[in-house]
Amino acid sequence: MQISLEEQFQQKIDQEIKIEPKDWMPEKYRHTLIRQISQHAHSEVVGMLPEGNWITRAPSLKRKAILLAKVQDEAGHGLYLYSAAETLGISRDEMYEQLHSGRAKYSSIFNYPTLNWADIGAIGWLVDGAAIMNQVPLCRTSFGPYARAMVRVCKEESFHQRQGFECLWVLSKGTEEQKKMCQDAINRWWWPCLMMFGPKDDESPNTMQNMQWKIKRFTNDALRQKFVDMIAEQIKLLGMKLPDPDLKWNEATAHYDYGKINWDEFWQVVQGNGPCNKERLAARKNAWDEGAWVREAATAHAEKNQIKISSMLHPNDINLGS
Amino acid sequence: MKIKAKNDSAFIQYLLHLGDNALIMSHRNSEWCGHGPALEQDIALTNIALDQIGQARNFYQYAAVLINESSNEKQTEDSLAYLRDAWDFKNCLLVELPNGDWGQTILKQFLISAYQYYLYLELQNIQDEQLAAIAAKSVKELNYHLRWSADWVMRLGDGTSESKKRMTDAIDAVWSYTYELFEVAEYENILSVEMQCKIREAWIEKIKTVFGKATLAIPNSQWKQRGGKLGVHTEHLGYILAEMQFLQRAYPGSEW
């Protein structure tokens, strides 16, 4: 009995066999992955900006080195992810074009500003913490290149999360002003971090299909709850407070209850009206546009060199065209 | 920073000079992080900035030990980086110049990397064990900085007509700051005259070779900008320090 390509594909997924770039796949699967992986790559690269904002002002040489290395890691993640997406038949330049024209999104969290030094710790602890919740299951996602890229990304992200916590830990044991910085950063990053998990399950139309294809392994709400439960415990060590009067342990569910998320703010930021949407996109576009002459020169130089090399090897074979 | 007569030695000043060159250059390079012309190059330049911070920390830590050993002061790598004013900084003017475009950044990096590479090669063999060890570690890093920046000078010089023009403009803008690299301050007498000549000759040879391949010319101008090594800086350094030192100055005595 013959089975359709679509059925074969789903069988592989059900048997936990990874889908590889040359395998047949439904167009919608390919399309969903390109969207998700490129969005993830863009998030890494745009995410360099809010943290990069404090590199020149880092308060000690050690912190400066840690921050530089961290932001460099994010660039590296961008590279692995763009490469993973390229295996699906889209070029990095096309993905950049989608980002710059506003057609592709990146994580809204990076549209919030870094206003004091503790924001660097809070991004590591909370933003990377939330990202890890989302990303660890992606190490087992059905598309091979994405899953393999995520293994490496997750290792580095969990390191970043510990560094972020340690940065806040030092501040939380410091002077009154440092404690104030720490609490201020937590107050501003907490709610946007909860929004990082995406809309509530009943308002997330793609979740079911993505779970069936094992692109996604857990629902938005399940991951969000896991994050709340983790952070609600960790914050006790810092002696700080989460800005949610409704946060409390629920014996019956064995989870923390938490307050209502402001979904209007979420959609506003997604639509481009967050505090830094314009600056972030402008900074990326500017880097790309200002770098055009550099990339052109590198290409021109490589072409000239190839002609030089091939003329050394086969002096009679060169055809320089008319 | 006040150093007592006994430990106000040329050697400590020399260590600070080496550390300041590395730190200020790192600061400038780190300004590019997230804004480079291609992701791979963003990573490369950030890598160099990281190496330079590492070098600065090694020099400052060593200087702090020597200062503290012979005085009541409690200097640390951070007090040396964050609590001195511009007149105490002994970096060459070249490293504090604004980045300009990618071409100017590359050119500055190439000129200083070639200098540091040949300098550290010599310092590896110096009498002082600790300084020799720092130089030996750094020279490996400089090997990469020099190769990377030289490759880019060649690409941009011998790339398009626009890139060539930008490189020529960059050379015009910064060349007068290169002479200071070889104007020997008193505290540099740890280097023998022979070593100094060797470094200078190797440097100019390298510049000629790479400029040659890049189809770029060394300017005829002999105008020399100087002062950094003695603590007389450009207007730019004050802004670098204002930014870099902000938290340490605003919240003195805090642990970070």
Side-chain angles (χ1 to χ4, degrees):
Chain A
M1 193 185 107
Q2 273 212 327
I3 59 168
S4 70
L5 286 169
E6 189 113 26
E7 283 165 327
Q8 281 179 38
F9 172 81
Q10 189 62 49
Q11 271 181 11
K12 267 199 218 164
I13 300 230
D14 294 342
Q15 292 164 26
E16 298 290 337
I17 297 170
K18 293 276 179 262
I19 306 301
E20 297 298 334
K22 287 182 176 163
D23 295 349
W24 183 89
M25 61 185 80
E27 268 318 294
K28 183 145 187 281
Y29 177 86
R30 180 189 303 277
H31 184 79
T32 301
L33 276 168
I34 288 179
R35 187 173 54 88
Q36 183 173 334
I37 302 173
S38 66
Q39 195 169 316
H40 190 168
H42 297 326
S43 301
E44 299 283 356
V45 173
V46 176
M48 295 168 74
L49 299 170
E51 294 181 279
N53 185 37
W54 279 89
I55 291 171
T56 54
R57 289 178 291 168
S60 73
L61 296 179
K62 183 181 122 187
R63 293 287 171 203
K64 194 189 283 283
I66 290 173
L67 181 56
L68 255 180
K70 188 198 168 194
V71 180
Q72 188 192 31
D73 281 351
E74 312 296 358
H77 299 171
L79 270 187
Y80 317 149
L81 290 163
Y82 283 126
S83 303
E86 281 181 315
T87 66
L88 291 160
I90 184 168
S91 72
R92 210 202 294 180
D93 284 3
E94 283 174 87
M95 289 184 266
Y96 280 152
E97 198 280 318
Q98 292 177 352
L99 172 68
H100 297 157
S101 66
R103 273 187 296 140
K105 298 286 178 208
Y106 54 88
S107 177
S108 278
I109 196 75
F110 301 117
N111 290 317
Y112 289 87
T114 49
L115 302 180
N116 86 56
W117 167 250
D119 287 34
I120 297 307
I123 289 182
W125 178 45
L126 296 175
V127 176
D128 291 349
I132 293 166
M133 286 286 164
N134 270 321
Q135 291 171 0
V136 167
L138 289 175
C139 297
R140 295 187 296 126
T141 197
S142 57
F143 185 57
Y146 191 24
R148 290 187 287 272
M150 289 316 298
V151 170
R152 214 168 146 176
V153 170
C154 282
K155 278 185 194 163
E156 294 179 352
E157 291 294 356
S158 60
F159 187 62
H160 296 166
Q161 200 206 3
R162 275 174 287 161
Q163 284 179 327
F165 185 80
E166 194 265 343
C167 171
L168 293 185
W169 170 267
V170 171
L171 295 176
S172 74
K173 306 291 172 245
T175 63
E176 283 312 307
E177 288 113 326
Q178 287 176 308
K179 288 177 188 164
K180 188 176 162 192
M181 286 177 201
C182 189
Q183 185 62 60
D184 174 56
I186 292 167
N187 290 349
R188 282 180 289 106
W189 289 96
W190 174 246
W191 290 106
C193 278
L194 292 190
M195 297 174 198
M196 282 176 71
F197 296 91
K200 283 187 289 188
D201 291 347
D202 48 17
E203 287 165 22
S204 176
N206 300 321
T207 292
M208 277 319 292
Q209 175 69 82
N210 288 345
M211 301 249 315
Q212 194 200 347
W213 279 340
K214 295 188 182 171
I215 292 174
K216 203 166 170 164
R217 299 258 176 183
F218 300 97
T219 69
N220 296 349
D221 285 334
L223 290 169
R224 186 163 20 239
Q225 184 66 57
K226 213 173 156 193
F227 178 71
V228 171
D229 291 346
M230 178 179 87
I231 298 298
E233 286 301 315
Q234 290 180 353
I235 197 161
K236 293 177 185 168
L237 299 170
L238 296 177
M240 297 285 144
K241 285 205 159 39
L242 291 173
D244 179 358
D246 296 326
L247 185 87
K248 64 169 188 296
W249 178 251
N250 182 330
E251 285 289 349
T253 59
H255 287 295
Y256 276 90
D257 291 337
Y258 55 94
K260 258 185 91 177
I261 293 172
N262 181 349
W263 290 109
D264 180 48
E265 175 181 326
F266 173 77
W267 290 113
Q268 284 294 329
V269 181
V270 168
Q271 281 154 29
N273 300 322
C276 300
N277 293 58
K278 288 191 175 65
E279 287 95 321
R280 300 292 185 243
L281 205 52
R284 284 314 311 158
K285 272 203 240 172
N286 185 56
W288 184 249
D289 295 343
E290 290 292 313
W293 71 271
V294 177
R295 296 188 301 273
E296 280 161 21
T299 309
H301 180 79
E303 279 165 7
K304 281 186 208 177
N305 254 12
Q306 225 150 31
I307 292 168
K308 276 183 208 155
I309 291 165
S310 58
S311 66
M312 281 190 290
L313 295 173
H314 307 288
N316 302 321
D317 290 354
I318 330 167
N319 180 0
L320 288 172
S322 49
Chain B
M1 185 186 61
K2 208 164 145 264
I3 297 177
K4 287 180 190 156
K6 191 182 163 199
N7 56 17
D8 190 7
S9 69
F11 188 60
I12 290 171
Q13 292 196 43
Y14 186 56
L15 291 175
L16 293 175
H17 158 72
L18 294 171
D20 294 343
N21 269 347
L23 178 66
I24 302 301
M25 196 67 197
S26 167
H27 183 98
R28 282 301 189 207
N29 285 335
S30 75
E31 291 174 351
W32 273 100
C33 187
H35 306 276
L39 211 41
E40 287 82 349
Q41 304 313 323
D42 208 303
I43 292 173
L45 193 56
T46 303
N47 224 19
I48 291 175
L50 264 172
D51 286 346
Q52 289 163 333
I53 287 193
Q55 290 162 15
R57 294 180 70 186
N58 286 332
F59 291 127
Y60 289 151
Q61 284 167 10
Y62 186 28
V65 167
L66 296 183
I67 294 167
N68 297 344
E69 267 176 5
S70 51
S71 72
N72 295 324
E73 291 187 47
K74 288 202 173 79
Q75 297 291 349
T76 63
E77 58 174 17
D78 286 331
S79 68
L80 292 171
Y82 288 92
L83 300 177
R84 285 180 301 148
D85 205 341
W87 51 47
D88 292 322
F89 273 75
K90 294 172 177 59
N91 59 278
C92 298
L93 299 178
L94 178 63
V95 300
E96 69 197 47
L97 297 180
N99 282 331
D101 64 10
W102 180 256
Q104 185 164 320
T105 300
I106 288 297
L107 179 73
K108 283 192 299 167
Q109 190 54 56
F110 170 60
L111 297 171
I112 195 77
S113 291
Y115 169 72
Q116 286 176 324
Y117 177 73
Y118 295 114
L119 171 67
Y120 293 160
L121 271 185
E122 292 302 315
L123 287 178
Q124 288 184 107
N125 306 316
I126 215 142
Q127 288 295 325
D128 186 89
E129 223 174 88
Q130 181 67 13
L131 177 55
I134 298 172
K137 179 174 184 288
S138 305
V139 84
K140 291 179 201 148
E141 297 165 346
L142 258 301
N143 189 27
Y144 168 69
H145 304 179
L146 181 55
R147 187 157 43 87
W148 179 84
S149 58
D151 280 352
W152 270 105
V153 168
M154 292 187 272
R155 267 187 211 117
L156 298 178
D158 188 25
T160 61
S161 54
E162 180 182 3
S163 69
K164 185 174 182 137
K165 170 152 193 334
R166 283 176 183 262
M167 287 309 280
T168 309
D169 291 348
I171 294 169
D172 284 342
V174 310
W175 189 258
S176 60
Y177 294 91
T178 59
Y179 296 99
E180 192 190 13
L181 300 173
F182 304 101
E183 288 196 342
V184 182
E186 247 175 67
Y187 54 74
E188 287 179 283
N189 59 13
I190 183 169
L191 295 168
S192 66
V193 174
E194 196 193 353
M195 280 171 162
Q196 291 165 16
C197 290
K198 211 169 148 190
I199 296 165
R200 192 188 154 77
E201 277 162 23
W203 182 84
I204 195 74
E205 226 13 75
K206 183 73 184 176
I207 305 303
K208 277 183 187 160
T209 309
V210 171
F211 275 23
K213 287 185 184 165
T215 69
L216 294 168
I218 292 176
N220 292 322
S221 149
Q222 293 288 313
W223 176 244
K224 297 172 186 174
Q225 297 288 357
R226 55 163 74 94
K229 281 183 174 180
L230 303 175
V232 184
H233 290 275
T234 64
E235 289 177 347
H236 307 298
L237 185 66
Y239 289 95
I240 291 177
L241 297 185
E243 191 172 340
M244 184 174 80
Q245 298 179 339
F246 151 65
L247 281 168
Q248 288 270 357
R249 300 285 192 185
Y251 304 100
S254 309
E255 291 287 322
W256 298 96

